[in-house]
Amino acid sequence: MREILPVLNGWYAAGVPFGLATVVEVSRSAPRGPGASMAVGPHDEVVGSVSGGCVEGAVFELAQEAVASGEARLETFGYSDADAFAVGLTCGGEITVLVRPVAPGRDPSFGAVAASVAGGEPVTTATVTDGPAPRGATLAVWPDRVVGTLGSEGLDAAVTADARGELALGVTGVRRYGPRGQRREDAVAVFLHSFAPPPRMLVFGAIDYAAAVARIGVFLGYRVTVCDARPAFATPRRFPEGVEVVVDWPHRRLRATDTDERTVICVLTHDPKFDVPLLREALRRPAAYIGAMGSRRTHDDRRRRLVEAGLTERELARLRSPVGLDLGARTPEEVAVSVAAEIVALRWGGSGAPLTATAGAIHGQMPEIPSI
């Protein structure tokens, strides 16, 4: 959704209605996760994707029908070998797609949501997908305000509270409620789509490897900062456009930077005078991934110094060192792929083994958001 929002906002600003299809639930080896979106606008222009091509033709027709009828629809697509002509996912998974019409008169919050996403302001959209509430009704929730309604004050209040809680974690998925927002009931399904600011990647050490890691970090959707204490190395022209480059002592910069459970920290300095104070700070703060470059001898020496600096075994267990997966990487670009592969595997619980050597579903089951 984030990638196609600028186009959608242009249609919306021009007052042109369009059909918006969003994946709200998945199972097994679904090709796209919840939040993946496709839209059909003026002159049958299509942007985005919900399945990578498997069911886009059917979704195109549903989006056109939604605009014409003004009504939202919920459709599930799954693999079918009973009918060779059935529309289904060739990967064997299943996706549930909400298709709804969007226009200024129907969805007054859409423009404000698009502006917030573009400006990095956190916002969650809550949309009714099923049950005794208006399907397609949308509530936009910011940390300090709410626009729209799902049909009842009680449901609005419950969803607003949950949306703000999930927004802090950037969670997207379906929650279920009673008709008036009652907890532990499942009559009404509401899709919470969180647009938290992009996660941060902090790269310390402005070497050639850092330029490659920063480039792949941008590609993966991170907001990347590169920091080095040496002005001759920390120059913006050495790094991709959009990467923040800072001249400062690494540990001092990290101490002044907010991190959370989505933050990635890559330590590429492999110099004890930088590494030890930096890792002492990093391993005692929230982060999804903390990796440090160096040989096994460098790692052993670094670990000994960190123990002497007072770090516990539990703290040291968070350190991924030597950094990256064993891909046989040599060049900076190859090493960056190795680091990115480890970050992705750690995020989703992947083994890092070749898929030819594994069995079962390729994509693990997406966890369902529990009701409180």
Side-chain angles (χ1 to χ4, degrees), residues 113-125:
V113 169
S116 291
V117 174
E121 181 184 18
V123 60
T124 292
T125 59

Side-chain angles (χ1 to χ4, degrees), residues 288-310:
Y289 175 91
I290 303 170
M293 175 178 279
S295 66
R296 299 196 185 279
R297 178 180 299 177
T298 298
H299 167 72
D300 292 340
D301 178 69
R302 179 193 293 132
R303 193 180 192 284
R304 177 182 59 79
R305 293 172 184 269
L306 290 171
V307 170
E308 292 174 353

Side-chain angles (χ1 to χ4, degrees), residues 190-351:
V190 179
F191 178 63
L192 300 183
H193 194 174
S194 296
F195 294 95
R200 300 203 65 169
M201 173 181 280
L202 306 175
V203 182
F204 295 97
I207 59 177
D208 288 346
Y209 291 94
V213 170
R215 190 175 300 112
I216 205 165
V218 171
F219 177 75
L220 290 176
Y222 287 92
R223 181 161 56 102
V224 181
T225 297
V226 175
C227 174
D228 198 302
R230 301 164 295 182
F233 292 91
T235 58
R237 67 176 178 273
R238 300 183 63 228
F239 296 93
E241 183 178 356
V243 171
E244 179 186 30
V245 181
V246 176
V247 178
D248 200 353
W249 278 81
H251 72 282
R252 186 167 60 193
R253 177 66 183 184
L254 180 58
R255 192 174 298 152
T257 302
D258 291 332
T259 64
D260 59 25
E261 287 75 11
R262 302 184 301 151
T263 303
V264 165
I265 299 174
C266 297
V267 178
L268 310 182
T269 48
H270 54 84
D271 183 330
K273 68 175 178 291
F274 296 127
D275 288 1
V276 174
L278 173 58
L279 287 171
R280 184 170 56 195
E281 177 70 26
L283 293 168
R284 290 174 172 170
R285 59 166 50 229
Y289 175 91
I290 303 170
M293 175 178 279
S295 66
R296 299 196 185 279
R297 178 180 299 177
T298 298
H299 167 72
D300 292 340
D301 178 69
R302 179 193 293 132
R303 193 180 192 284
R304 177 182 59 79
R305 293 172 184 269
L306 290 171
V307 170
E308 292 174 353
L311 271 77
T312 67
E313 288 299 323
R314 183 174 181 178
E315 291 167 335
L316 289 169
R318 300 179 62 202
L319 179 61
R320 317 290 290 194
S321 174
V323 70
L325 296 186
D326 180 14
L327 304 182
R330 294 290 189 275
T331 68
E333 291 74 20
E334 291 173 344
V335 170
V337 171
S338 168
V339 173
E342 185 174 43
I343 292 169
V344 172
L346 187 63
R347 178 183 181 186
W348 296 110
S351 67

Side-chain angles (χ1 to χ4, degrees), residues 20-23 26 30-33 35-39 47-57 59-60 77 89 95-99:
L20 177 62
T22 303
V23 177
V26 304
R32 303 293 303 274
S37 298
M38 167 182 156
V47 293
S49 171
V50 293
S51 72
C54 299
V55 302
E56 264 67 6
V59 173
F60 175 84
F77 300 93
L89 298 179
I95 61 173
T96 299
V97 181
L98 176 70
V99 185

Side-chain angles (χ1 to χ4, degrees), residues 120-202:
E121 181 184 18
V123 60
T124 292
T125 59
T127 308
V128 174
T129 64
D130 204 9
R135 178 174 288 160
T138 299
L139 182 74
V141 181
W142 289 264
D144 59 349
R145 64 192 188 279
V146 174
V147 176
T149 180
L150 302 181
S152 77
E153 291 184 7
L155 184 58
D156 288 350
V159 170
T160 295
D162 289 345
R164 285 178 173 153
E166 303 300 356
L167 183 56
L169 300 175
V171 172
T172 288
V174 172
R175 277 190 179 273
R176 291 175 169 82
Y177 306 86
R180 295 183 299 278
Q182 302 97 319
R183 305 291 184 174
R184 303 190 182 280
E185 295 190 24
D186 59 3
V188 180
V190 179
F191 178 63
L192 300 183
H193 194 174
S194 296
F195 294 95
R200 300 203 65 169
M201 173 181 280
L202 306 175

